[in-house]
Amino acid sequence: MACVETSSSRPYHLVVFGASGFTGQFVVEEVARTVSEGPKGNLKWAVAGRSRQKLDKVLEQAAGVLSKPELRTEVDIIVADVEEPDSLATMCKQAVIVLNCVGPYRFYGEPVVKACVENGAHHIDICGEPQFLEGMQLNYNSQAADKGVYIIGSCGFDSIPADMGVLYTRDQFKGTLTAVESFLTVGTGAEGGCIHDGTWQSAIYGFADSQKLQSLRRKFNHKPLPTVGTKIKRRGSLFYSNEIQQYTVPFMGSDPSVVKRSQRFLVEEHQATPVQYGAYAGIGGIGSIIKLMFAGMMFWFLVKFSFGRNLLTKHPEFFSFGLFSKAGPTRKQMEASSFRFALYGEGYIEGQDPTQGKPNGKIRTLVQGPECGYVATPIAMVQAALTILNESSALPKKGGVYTPGAAFAKTTLIERLNTHGIQFSVI
């Protein structure tokens, strides 16, 4: 069982590392909103990063936004830097859980995971980079298990709606669920919306390193998961979806990788029936297709060369047609944005033998919530942490590197999310 108690030498339930980054600011605000949900109605927490001055400003801004002036004086500051291992060790020794907001994780993530494992702190990130997530599983799973430390990746919009959404669909289906397809649509207000360029940088280097991901996966020596029911059909790279009534492309994030890892864990540890998964995202109409084609061609060409990657990194707004920006979205844009994650499942109804004939039952579920990157992501991350603190006995029996679905399958995380605006429902 996870150790989640604070002590005189480990005084903080949570430490938000990278609190002065764009996403970190919103994670800090979400932690401040939820202090009463900690163990016994109390949450001891601190912020951490390279610059004490910047962290002071983060707390000052949070105090103003939330009308909580006490944040300026009651939340401690820890100075820690990914390039200074001793500072990371000092931070991790003081934390029950480190909420790691420092990305791109491929560049800055591993020293934090290493420090957490070595110093007995659990670790939660909001990474959407399969190469980092799977690399940490390969390199740190056995060490984390020996130490009783839980390293849980992709606990933001990538990939809690998908991973927990598949589990929710499975649990709501009356029978044996065998396949799910998800369709993401994003809504914005009159002022539009955008994504901070930290995500853009992760995408650039993720695509550039795609060959390394394949070689990394071979090191696991996994046997293919068994296929139950009809094999799910992979759709084209661009198609019109009748499900969401718009043109659609395969979802390029970490969701398929994370869901597959969860399904493997549930098959190997709990002898569950594996659920096949396909992920797609709506892009809109013909105008959006033209933009996507131009942006995609430029991206695919430039990402292959170092000079091209430098251009893409320096000019995210130009090369993404405004979808990504160095400034990130405004709070007004965030307030008017939302997401809908529709999941279409099929399987065998109760009493039907899954080894005989085609699936004969269908289910449709929905995960919906506020703006993806900086409202829903902090909610998901903080609720994941609070679930560890409050429900440690429901986590997997031993420590290790886990996906959200593997870690939280037997917890009330979905119910917690429902009460905080990320809602799971059957349609």
Side-chain angles (χ1 to χ4, degrees):
M1 190 169 81
C3 178
V4 294
E5 302 296 324
T6 55
S7 64
S8 57
S9 60
R10 199 180 292 274
Y12 306 114
H13 291 110
L14 304 178
V15 171
V16 181
F17 181 53
S20 58
F22 190 82
T23 309
Q25 174 74 53
F26 297 104
V27 173
V28 166
E29 291 171 19
E30 187 59 26
V31 173
R33 284 188 193 98
T34 56
V35 287
S36 64
E37 297 175 37
K40 298 175 184 173
N42 184 33
L43 193 67
K44 298 170 187 171
W45 64 293
V47 295
R50 288 180 298 177
S51 165
R52 179 174 290 273
Q53 191 176 6
K54 286 183 179 177
L55 293 167
D56 274 326
K57 286 182 180 174
V58 167
L59 293 174
E60 193 169 325
Q61 185 172 335
V65 168
L66 301 172
S67 300
K68 290 189 171 197
E70 67 273 14
L71 293 176
R72 296 186 183 96
T73 54
E74 290 183 3
V75 179
D76 291 341
I77 288 174
I78 300 170
V79 176
D81 188 334
V82 289
E83 294 181 0
E84 296 175 8
D86 288 349
S87 72
L88 292 180
T90 300
M91 173 185 74
C92 292
K93 282 173 183 170
Q94 298 178 74
V96 174
I97 306 173
V98 171
L99 302 187
N100 183 10
C101 303
V102 181
Y105 290 90
R106 68 176 54 247
F107 299 134
Y108 307 118
E110 184 167 359
V112 188
V113 170
K114 184 173 187 286
C116 282
V117 171
E118 290 176 351
N119 295 284
H122 310 302
H123 175 280
I124 286 178
D125 67 49
I126 44 176
C127 178
E129 306 163 46
Q131 188 176 335
F132 171 80
L133 294 163
E134 295 178 39
M136 293 306 95
Q137 183 180 357
L138 185 71
N139 296 331
Y140 291 96
N141 187 57
S142 61
Q143 285 174 259
D146 291 343
K147 291 271 194 171
V149 167
Y150 291 75
I151 306 295
I152 308 175
S154 53
C155 286
F157 180 75
D158 292 321
S159 291
I160 276 183
D163 206 16
M164 300 308 292
V166 169
L167 295 190
Y168 175 80
T169 306
R170 179 200 68 180
D171 292 344
Q172 296 298 315
F173 184 71
K174 292 178 172 58
T176 303
L177 188 72
T178 58
V180 171
E181 289 183 313
S182 67
F183 297 85
L184 168 67
T185 51
V186 174
T188 56
E191 297 192 18
C194 65
I195 304 169
H196 188 259
D197 86 317
T199 305
W200 175 250
Q201 289 179 44
S202 297
I204 291 167
Y205 292 99
F207 281 107
D209 267 0
S210 56
Q211 291 304 311
K212 289 182 183 175
L213 178 58
Q214 298 309 317
S215 64
L216 169 69
R217 285 174 172 164
R218 283 193 285 272
K219 292 178 184 176
F220 283 98
N221 291 320
H222 283 320
K223 292 178 182 174
L225 285 173
T227 300
V228 179
T230 306
K231 187 168 185 180
I232 199 169
K233 289 179 182 174
R234 298 294 169 202
R235 309 214 194 187
S237 54
L238 174 68
F239 63 95
Y240 187 82
S241 165
N242 290 319
E243 290 87 355
I244 55 174
Q245 299 289 300
Q246 58 181 276
Y247 286 98
T248 305
V249 295
F251 183 68
M252 305 301 282
S254 59
D255 290 356
S257 157
V258 172
V259 169
K260 190 168 187 178
R261 287 169 57 216
S262 290
Q263 292 303 312
R264 181 174 295 282
F265 172 83
L266 294 168
V267 168
E268 292 176 353
E269 297 296 321
H270 300 293
Q271 292 71 54
T273 300
V275 178
Q276 303 171 71
Y277 179 62
Y280 304 96
I283 58 167
I286 298 295
S288 298
I289 292 174
I290 294 167
K291 278 187 188 177
L292 183 71
M293 286 175 64
F294 274 110
M297 285 189 289
M298 285 193 292
F299 187 91
W300 281 112
F301 173 73
L302 292 171
V303 82
K304 295 174 184 176
F305 310 101
S306 60
F307 82 88
R309 292 192 289 274
N310 287 335
L311 274 176
L312 289 167
T313 301
K314 286 178 182 174
H315 307 287
E317 281 186 78
F318 176 78
F319 288 109
S320 70
F321 287 92
L323 180 60
F324 294 88
S325 84
K326 288 186 177 291
T330 64
R331 286 183 185 262
K332 200 168 182 182
Q333 286 176 321
M334 290 182 211
E335 286 167 11
S337 299
S338 61
F339 76 87
R340 287 173 62 88
F341 207 89
L343 297 105
Y344 290 75
E346 69 173 25
Y348 296 85
I349 61 172
E350 284 176 331
Q352 185 80 14
D353 184 351
T355 63
Q356 302 294 320
K358 292 183 178 180
N360 61 346
K362 294 188 181 297
I363 185 173
R364 183 181 169 197
T365 60
L366 182 67
V367 185
Q368 59 186 330
E371 188 276 336
C372 306
Y374 315 104
V375 183
T377 285
I379 290 169
M381 186 185 213
V382 172
Q383 289 306 313
L386 289 167
T387 302
I388 294 174
L389 291 173
N390 289 301
E391 302 180 47
S392 59
S393 61
L395 298 176
K397 288 191 178 77
K398 60 182 182 180
V401 179
Y402 291 105
T403 59
F408 300 121
K410 296 184 180 298
T411 71
T412 65
L413 176 59
I414 288 173
E415 288 85 345
R416 290 173 183 274
L417 293 170
N418 272 328
T419 64
H420 285 271
I422 300 177
Q423 295 172 326
F424 293 67
S425 60
V426 178
I427 298 175

